[in-house]
Amino acid sequence: MSKKTRKKSSNTTGKRVATKVARAASASTGKSATKTRTTVAKKPVAKRANKKATKTTKPKAKSAAGVQGKASHKAASKPLKPEPGPTVTKSPAVTLAEGAAAPGFDLPRDGGGSVSLKDFAGKKLVLFFYPRADTPGCTREAIDFTRLKGEFVAAGTEVVGISADTVKAQESFRNKHQLSVPLVSDSAHQMLEAYGAWGEKSMYGRTFMGIIRTTVLVDSSGKVARIWRHVKVDGHAEAVLEAARSL
C-alpha cells in the first residue's frame, strides 16, 4: 500500500471515529437533557399534588376538630333531669262527724234551677254521693233510691244525689234510667269536700283523687244523723230508709 493510500484510509478512519464519538456525545447529551426535562416537569406535578393533598387534608382536620369540639361540648353539658311523673296531692281531710251541723250548699241540678240545704228545712234529707253518672254501681244506687222514693217521702225524708258530673250529664243520666230524685252537679268539688266525699282513691295500683261513695243522713234540725262511707251498693238504699224511719 502506498503512502497516499495509507494517509487517506487513516484520515477516513479518523473521520468515522470522530463522527461516531460526536454522535454518541450528542445522544448522551440528548438523553441527559430529556432526563433533566422530565425531572423539571415532574417537580411542578409533585408540588401540585402536595397542594392538593394539603387542601384535602385541611378540611378533614377541621372537621375532625369540629367533631372533637362538639364531643367535648356534649360531654361538658349537664345531663337533663328526668321529668317528674304525675303526682297526687291530698286535699285537707274533712272530718264530718255525726251530730255536727250539715254544711250548707247551693248547687245547680238537672232540669235547671238549683238545690240548697235551706230548701229542706224541717225535713229529713238523704244525700248520696256517687263517683260518676251512668256507671254500673252508680246506676244501680240511683235506681234503688228512685224505687224507694215514695217510702222515703212517707218517712218525711227527701233524697238528693250528688256527683262532679255536669248538669247535662246528670240530665242524660236521669232520662236514660227514668230517675225521679234530684241530681246535683258539683264540678268544683265544694260540697264533695265539705261532706268528706272527695279524697284519695286507688285502682289497679294507681292512686288518684276522686269521689268516695258516701251517704249522709241529715235530721229535721239540720244536723248529721248518720254517715256511710265506702258504700256497698247492694241493699244500701234499704238500710238508709230504715235509719230515716228510726229518727
Side-chain angles (χ1 to χ4, degrees):
M1 183 179 296
S2 63
K3 291 180 180 180
K4 291 183 179 180
T5 304
R6 288 178 183 175
K7 286 181 180 180
K8 286 182 182 179
S9 61
S10 61
N11 291 337
T12 304
T13 304
K15 288 181 181 178
R16 288 178 182 175
V17 172
T19 302
K20 287 182 180 180
V21 171
R23 285 179 182 176
S26 63
S28 62
T29 304
K31 287 181 181 180
S32 61
T34 304
K35 287 182 180 180
T36 305
R37 287 174 189 174
T38 306
T39 306
V40 173
K42 284 182 178 180
K43 283 183 180 178
V45 173
K47 287 182 180 179
R48 289 174 189 175
N50 290 336
K51 286 182 180 180
K52 287 183 181 180
T54 305
K55 287 181 181 179
T56 54
T57 307
K58 282 182 180 178
K60 288 183 180 179
K62 286 182 181 179
S63 61
V67 171
Q68 289 178 356
K70 289 181 181 179
S72 63
H73 178 69
K74 288 182 180 179
S77 61
K78 295 180 180 180
L80 296 174
K81 294 181 180 180
E83 294 182 0
T87 56
V88 178
T89 304
K90 291 185 179 181
S91 59
V94 176
T95 303
L96 184 65
E98 294 179 359
F105 59 88
D106 190 352
L107 295 169
R109 59 160 293 180
D110 63 304
S114 62
V115 175
S116 67
L117 183 63
K118 296 178 181 179
D119 297 337
F120 305 100
K123 294 181 180 180
K124 291 176 283 188
L125 176 63
V126 172
L127 301 169
F128 70 97
F129 301 88
Y130 56 94
R132 190 173 181 181
D134 205 22
T135 52
C138 299
T139 300
R140 291 202 314 271
E141 185 178 18
I143 289 174
D144 287 345
F145 277 113
T146 294
R147 175 173 52 82
L148 297 173
K149 182 179 178 180
E151 297 186 46
F152 276 106
V153 172
T157 308
E158 298 290 336
V159 180
V160 176
I162 307 98
S163 74
D165 296 291
T166 62
V167 171
K168 186 177 180 180
Q170 301 287 39
E171 290 174 352
S172 299
F173 185 34
R174 175 201 64 193
N175 296 335
K176 182 177 180 180
H177 301 287
Q178 300 179 349
L179 305 174
S180 60
V181 297
L183 302 177
V184 172
S185 173
D186 184 20
S187 58
H189 311 154
Q190 294 177 356
M191 185 181 179
L192 291 165
E193 291 181 8
Y195 281 81
W198 179 263
E200 189 178 88
K201 301 174 68 174
S202 61
M203 182 180 291
Y204 305 116
R206 185 171 65 91
T207 303
F208 57 95
M209 299 298 290
I211 298 174
I212 300 169
R213 195 183 301 277
T214 304
T215 299
V216 177
L217 174 61
V218 181
D219 64 19
S220 56
S221 66
K223 291 183 178 181
V224 176
R226 288 285 305 274
I227 301 174
W228 291 265
R229 299 198 185 280
H230 304 285
V231 169
K232 302 297 181 184
V233 173
D234 294 338
H236 175 62
E238 287 81 3
V240 175
L241 177 60
E242 290 301 317
R245 285 172 176 170
S246 66
L247 291 179

